[in-house]
Amino acid sequence: SAVISQKPSRDICQRGTSLTIQCQVDSQVTMMFWYRQQPGQSLTLIATANQGSEATYESGFVIDKFPISRPNLTFSTLTVSNMSPEDSSIYLCSVGTGISFYGYTFGSGTRLTVV
Amino acid sequence: KQEVTQIPAALSVPEGENLVLNCSFTDSAIYNLQWFRQDPGKGLTSLLLIQSSQREQTSGRLNASLDKSSGRSTLYIAASQPGDSATYLCAVSSGNTPLVFGKGTRLSVIA
């Protein structure tokens, strides 16, 4: 299965600023997924990032707030823009490679605190 | 729309006890089901993957079963240890689509 390197692992940011989270995969994958996990909650899908096309956002998430880049088949970034304390969450990227046999793999997560 | 429910929400057991975590899903047309472990403030570690054609998977002290027709899965942990303390998440996939997660079971194993 794929191995994902996610950076940063954690950050404390001032409100109104932006943070870009990076995910690097050790193999080429078609789709990458970005999730948010608010404190005490399960994972909620933000968007699906396809290489060479615009990301597809889930209801309640918009590109202006969470712009995503997918420049190639092994890399993606998620930016959390104009942050507020409500954005404090764990953000995770995920890929599925050989889904039938390996399922989905997740990055180690970015723990974001907005003050 | 697929919905995944996990019961119980939290569980506290003494060390050495065998335990069962439950997961149910509303749409039986799944591709596979995956159990994950999450330590506080961390990412997800895949524990077991069960394809829709399979009934169970085993890894060490963990055994996961799947009854696709009834929309249920269980994760059995044998001889629990304090190191097993974590949140356990169940998620289902319907092909090349994002996973749908349950809210998890928070497990505490007391020495």
PDB file of all heavy atoms in Angstrom, chain A residues 11-19 65 80-88 112-115:
ATOM      1  N   ASP A  11       0.378  22.821  13.996  1.00  0.00           N
ATOM      2  CA  ASP A  11       0.702  24.238  13.939  1.00  0.00           C
ATOM      3  C   ASP A  11      -0.295  25.032  14.771  1.00  0.00           C
ATOM      4  O   ASP A  11      -1.451  24.599  14.929  1.00  0.00           O
ATOM      5  CB  ASP A  11       0.691  24.746  12.495  1.00  0.00           C
ATOM      6  CG  ASP A  11       1.609  25.933  12.274  1.00  0.00           C
ATOM      7  OD1 ASP A  11       1.989  26.583  13.280  1.00  0.00           O
ATOM      8  OD2 ASP A  11       1.958  26.221  11.107  1.00  0.00           O
ATOM      9  N   ILE A  12       0.160  26.134  15.292  1.00  0.00           N
ATOM     10  CA  ILE A  12      -0.692  27.085  16.001  1.00  0.00           C
ATOM     11  C   ILE A  12      -0.650  28.367  15.197  1.00  0.00           C
ATOM     12  O   ILE A  12       0.432  28.917  14.963  1.00  0.00           O
ATOM     13  CB  ILE A  12      -0.215  27.318  17.445  1.00  0.00           C
ATOM     14  CG1 ILE A  12      -0.209  25.997  18.222  1.00  0.00           C
ATOM     15  CG2 ILE A  12      -1.102  28.348  18.133  1.00  0.00           C
ATOM     16  CD1 ILE A  12       0.387  26.104  19.613  1.00  0.00           C
ATOM     17  N   CYS A  13      -1.803  28.847  14.758  1.00  0.00           N
ATOM     18  CA  CYS A  13      -1.855  29.979  13.838  1.00  0.00           C
ATOM     19  C   CYS A  13      -2.742  31.087  14.374  1.00  0.00           C
ATOM     20  O   CYS A  13      -3.688  30.829  15.133  1.00  0.00           O
ATOM     21  CB  CYS A  13      -2.384  29.526  12.479  1.00  0.00           C
ATOM     22  SG  CYS A  13      -1.395  28.240  11.677  1.00  0.00           S
ATOM     23  N   GLN A  14      -2.455  32.292  13.950  1.00  0.00           N
ATOM     24  CA  GLN A  14      -3.274  33.442  14.321  1.00  0.00           C
ATOM     25  C   GLN A  14      -4.500  33.504  13.424  1.00  0.00           C
ATOM     26  O   GLN A  14      -4.444  33.167  12.237  1.00  0.00           O
ATOM     27  CB  GLN A  14      -2.462  34.721  14.167  1.00  0.00           C
ATOM     28  CG  GLN A  14      -1.243  34.807  15.080  1.00  0.00           C
ATOM     29  CD  GLN A  14      -1.643  34.990  16.537  1.00  0.00           C
ATOM     30  OE1 GLN A  14      -2.630  35.664  16.839  1.00  0.00           O
ATOM     31  NE2 GLN A  14      -0.887  34.366  17.436  1.00  0.00           N
ATOM     32  N   ARG A  15      -5.586  33.946  13.976  1.00  0.00           N
ATOM     33  CA  ARG A  15      -6.793  34.109  13.159  1.00  0.00           C
ATOM     34  C   ARG A  15      -6.544  35.093  12.044  1.00  0.00           C
ATOM     35  O   ARG A  15      -5.771  36.030  12.187  1.00  0.00           O
ATOM     36  CB  ARG A  15      -7.974  34.529  14.017  1.00  0.00           C
ATOM     37  CG  ARG A  15      -7.927  35.949  14.559  1.00  0.00           C
ATOM     38  CD  ARG A  15      -9.223  36.310  15.266  1.00  0.00           C
ATOM     39  NE  ARG A  15      -9.459  35.496  16.447  1.00  0.00           N
ATOM     40  CZ  ARG A  15     -10.664  35.270  16.971  1.00  0.00           C
ATOM     41  NH1 ARG A  15     -11.730  35.750  16.380  1.00  0.00           N
ATOM     42  NH2 ARG A  15     -10.803  34.552  18.057  1.00  0.00           N
ATOM     43  N   GLY A  16      -7.177  34.815  10.901  1.00  0.00           N
ATOM     44  CA  GLY A  16      -7.021  35.681   9.742  1.00  0.00           C
ATOM     45  C   GLY A  16      -5.889  35.270   8.817  1.00  0.00           C
ATOM     46  O   GLY A  16      -5.797  35.736   7.688  1.00  0.00           O
ATOM     47  N   THR A  17      -5.021  34.383   9.277  1.00  0.00           N
ATOM     48  CA  THR A  17      -3.909  33.930   8.432  1.00  0.00           C
ATOM     49  C   THR A  17      -4.303  32.651   7.692  1.00  0.00           C
ATOM     50  O   THR A  17      -5.413  32.132   7.859  1.00  0.00           O
ATOM     51  CB  THR A  17      -2.652  33.678   9.266  1.00  0.00           C
ATOM     52  OG1 THR A  17      -2.911  32.614  10.210  1.00  0.00           O
ATOM     53  CG2 THR A  17      -2.243  34.925  10.027  1.00  0.00           C
ATOM     54  N   SER A  18      -3.392  32.149   6.882  1.00  0.00           N
ATOM     55  CA  SER A  18      -3.640  30.927   6.101  1.00  0.00           C
ATOM     56  C   SER A  18      -2.540  29.911   6.367  1.00  0.00           C
ATOM     57  O   SER A  18      -1.402  30.287   6.666  1.00  0.00           O
ATOM     58  CB  SER A  18      -3.689  31.247   4.607  1.00  0.00           C
ATOM     59  OG  SER A  18      -4.755  32.123   4.312  1.00  0.00           O
ATOM     60  N   LEU A  19      -2.877  28.651   6.248  1.00  0.00           N
ATOM     61  CA  LEU A  19      -1.917  27.560   6.419  1.00  0.00           C
ATOM     62  C   LEU A  19      -2.054  26.594   5.253  1.00  0.00           C
ATOM     63  O   LEU A  19      -3.164  26.200   4.897  1.00  0.00           O
ATOM     64  CB  LEU A  19      -2.163  26.811   7.724  1.00  0.00           C
ATOM     65  CG  LEU A  19      -1.266  25.580   7.955  1.00  0.00           C
ATOM     66  CD1 LEU A  19       0.156  26.038   8.249  1.00  0.00           C
ATOM     67  CD2 LEU A  19      -1.799  24.714   9.085  1.00  0.00           C
ATOM     68  N   LYS A  65     -12.281  29.020   0.638  1.00  0.00           N
ATOM     69  CA  LYS A  65     -11.855  28.759   2.005  1.00  0.00           C
ATOM     70  C   LYS A  65     -10.808  27.643   2.062  1.00  0.00           C
ATOM     71  O   LYS A  65      -9.885  27.701   2.861  1.00  0.00           O
ATOM     72  CB  LYS A  65     -13.079  28.346   2.844  1.00  0.00           C
ATOM     73  CG  LYS A  65     -12.785  27.942   4.275  1.00  0.00           C
ATOM     74  CD  LYS A  65     -12.287  29.124   5.112  1.00  0.00           C
ATOM     75  CE  LYS A  65     -12.097  28.710   6.559  1.00  0.00           C
ATOM     76  NZ  LYS A  65     -11.563  29.827   7.379  1.00  0.00           N
ATOM     77  N   VAL A  80      -5.907  26.209   4.269  1.00  0.00           N
ATOM     78  CA  VAL A  80      -7.003  26.696   5.100  1.00  0.00           C
ATOM     79  C   VAL A  80      -6.831  28.208   5.167  1.00  0.00           C
ATOM     80  O   VAL A  80      -5.847  28.700   5.731  1.00  0.00           O
ATOM     81  CB  VAL A  80      -6.983  26.065   6.505  1.00  0.00           C
ATOM     82  CG1 VAL A  80      -8.222  26.470   7.295  1.00  0.00           C
ATOM     83  CG2 VAL A  80      -6.890  24.543   6.415  1.00  0.00           C
ATOM     84  N   SER A  81      -7.778  28.928   4.566  1.00  0.00           N
ATOM     85  CA  SER A  81      -7.616  30.363   4.378  1.00  0.00           C
ATOM     86  C   SER A  81      -8.391  31.171   5.408  1.00  0.00           C
ATOM     87  O   SER A  81      -9.421  30.721   5.920  1.00  0.00           O
ATOM     88  CB  SER A  81      -8.116  30.758   2.983  1.00  0.00           C
ATOM     89  OG  SER A  81      -7.436  30.055   1.971  1.00  0.00           O
ATOM     90  N   ASN A  82      -7.864  32.355   5.694  1.00  0.00           N
ATOM     91  CA  ASN A  82      -8.556  33.304   6.584  1.00  0.00           C
ATOM     92  C   ASN A  82      -9.106  32.571   7.806  1.00  0.00           C
ATOM     93  O   ASN A  82     -10.301  32.570   8.068  1.00  0.00           O
ATOM     94  CB  ASN A  82      -9.675  34.010   5.825  1.00  0.00           C
ATOM     95  CG  ASN A  82     -10.296  35.134   6.616  1.00  0.00           C
ATOM     96  OD1 ASN A  82      -9.665  35.704   7.518  1.00  0.00           O
ATOM     97  ND2 ASN A  82     -11.545  35.447   6.327  1.00  0.00           N
ATOM     98  N   MET A  83      -8.221  31.977   8.538  1.00  0.00           N
ATOM     99  CA  MET A  83      -8.612  31.054   9.605  1.00  0.00           C
ATOM    100  C   MET A  83      -9.296  31.733  10.776  1.00  0.00           C
ATOM    101  O   MET A  83      -8.983  32.879  11.134  1.00  0.00           O
ATOM    102  CB  MET A  83      -7.383  30.287  10.089  1.00  0.00           C
ATOM    103  CG  MET A  83      -6.868  29.270   9.077  1.00  0.00           C
ATOM    104  SD  MET A  83      -5.505  28.309   9.697  1.00  0.00           S
ATOM    105  CE  MET A  83      -4.176  29.505   9.609  1.00  0.00           C
ATOM    106  N   SER A  84     -10.192  30.988  11.379  1.00  0.00           N
ATOM    107  CA  SER A  84     -10.867  31.385  12.620  1.00  0.00           C
ATOM    108  C   SER A  84     -10.732  30.221  13.602  1.00  0.00           C
ATOM    109  O   SER A  84     -10.393  29.100  13.196  1.00  0.00           O
ATOM    110  CB  SER A  84     -12.329  31.695  12.358  1.00  0.00           C
ATOM    111  OG  SER A  84     -13.010  30.520  11.964  1.00  0.00           O
ATOM    112  N   PRO A  85     -11.013  30.456  14.883  1.00  0.00           N
ATOM    113  CA  PRO A  85     -10.898  29.359  15.853  1.00  0.00           C
ATOM    114  C   PRO A  85     -11.733  28.126  15.485  1.00  0.00           C
ATOM    115  O   PRO A  85     -11.367  27.010  15.850  1.00  0.00           O
ATOM    116  CB  PRO A  85     -11.390  30.009  17.149  1.00  0.00           C
ATOM    117  CG  PRO A  85     -11.004  31.436  17.000  1.00  0.00           C
ATOM    118  CD  PRO A  85     -11.234  31.750  15.544  1.00  0.00           C
ATOM    119  N   GLU A  86     -12.815  28.330  14.746  1.00  0.00           N
ATOM    120  CA  GLU A  86     -13.662  27.201  14.337  1.00  0.00           C
ATOM    121  C   GLU A  86     -12.949  26.260  13.366  1.00  0.00           C
ATOM    122  O   GLU A  86     -13.411  25.135  13.131  1.00  0.00           O
ATOM    123  CB  GLU A  86     -14.948  27.705  13.693  1.00  0.00           C
ATOM    124  CG  GLU A  86     -15.916  28.409  14.627  1.00  0.00           C
ATOM    125  CD  GLU A  86     -15.412  29.765  15.094  1.00  0.00           C
ATOM    126  OE1 GLU A  86     -14.731  30.454  14.313  1.00  0.00           O
ATOM    127  OE2 GLU A  86     -15.697  30.127  16.257  1.00  0.00           O
ATOM    128  N   ASP A  87     -11.860  26.701  12.784  1.00  0.00           N
ATOM    129  CA  ASP A  87     -11.080  25.859  11.873  1.00  0.00           C
ATOM    130  C   ASP A  87     -10.115  24.941  12.613  1.00  0.00           C
ATOM    131  O   ASP A  87      -9.449  24.104  11.982  1.00  0.00           O
ATOM    132  CB  ASP A  87     -10.301  26.729  10.883  1.00  0.00           C
ATOM    133  CG  ASP A  87     -11.203  27.490   9.937  1.00  0.00           C
ATOM    134  OD1 ASP A  87     -12.202  26.904   9.466  1.00  0.00           O
ATOM    135  OD2 ASP A  87     -10.920  28.675   9.665  1.00  0.00           O
ATOM    136  N   SER A  88     -10.037  25.086  13.919  1.00  0.00           N
ATOM    137  CA  SER A  88      -9.160  24.218  14.711  1.00  0.00           C
ATOM    138  C   SER A  88      -9.643  22.775  14.586  1.00  0.00           C
ATOM    139  O   SER A  88     -10.746  22.432  15.003  1.00  0.00           O
ATOM    140  CB  SER A  88      -9.160  24.650  16.181  1.00  0.00           C
ATOM    141  OG  SER A  88      -8.640  25.960  16.315  1.00  0.00           O
ATOM    142  N   LEU A 112      -4.255  21.420  13.729  1.00  0.00           N
ATOM    143  CA  LEU A 112      -4.265  22.872  13.607  1.00  0.00           C
ATOM    144  C   LEU A 112      -5.025  23.500  14.761  1.00  0.00           C
ATOM    145  O   LEU A 112      -6.159  23.105  15.040  1.00  0.00           O
ATOM    146  CB  LEU A 112      -4.914  23.275  12.282  1.00  0.00           C
ATOM    147  CG  LEU A 112      -5.220  24.762  12.079  1.00  0.00           C
ATOM    148  CD1 LEU A 112      -3.938  25.584  12.087  1.00  0.00           C
ATOM    149  CD2 LEU A 112      -5.985  24.976  10.781  1.00  0.00           C
ATOM    150  N   THR A 113      -4.387  24.460  15.401  1.00  0.00           N
ATOM    151  CA  THR A 113      -5.038  25.251  16.439  1.00  0.00           C
ATOM    152  C   THR A 113      -4.995  26.706  16.006  1.00  0.00           C
ATOM    153  O   THR A 113      -3.917  27.225  15.686  1.00  0.00           O
ATOM    154  CB  THR A 113      -4.337  25.091  17.801  1.00  0.00           C
ATOM    155  OG1 THR A 113      -4.329  23.706  18.166  1.00  0.00           O
ATOM    156  CG2 THR A 113      -5.054  25.897  18.875  1.00  0.00           C
ATOM    157  N   VAL A 114      -6.148  27.348  15.977  1.00  0.00           N
ATOM    158  CA  VAL A 114      -6.231  28.752  15.587  1.00  0.00           C
ATOM    159  C   VAL A 114      -6.563  29.582  16.829  1.00  0.00           C
ATOM    160  O   VAL A 114      -7.545  29.310  17.525  1.00  0.00           O
ATOM    161  CB  VAL A 114      -7.296  28.974  14.502  1.00  0.00           C
ATOM    162  CG1 VAL A 114      -7.301  30.440  14.057  1.00  0.00           C
ATOM    163  CG2 VAL A 114      -7.044  28.059  13.314  1.00  0.00           C
ATOM    164  N   VAL A 115      -5.721  30.581  17.096  1.00  0.00           N
ATOM    165  CA  VAL A 115      -5.906  31.391  18.308  1.00  0.00           C
ATOM    166  C   VAL A 115      -6.222  32.832  17.960  1.00  0.00           C
ATOM    167  O   VAL A 115      -6.007  33.265  16.816  1.00  0.00           O
ATOM    168  CB  VAL A 115      -4.644  31.312  19.196  1.00  0.00           C
ATOM    169  CG1 VAL A 115      -4.435  29.888  19.655  1.00  0.00           C
ATOM    170  CG2 VAL A 115      -3.432  31.851  18.459  1.00  0.00           C
TER     171      VAL A 115
END
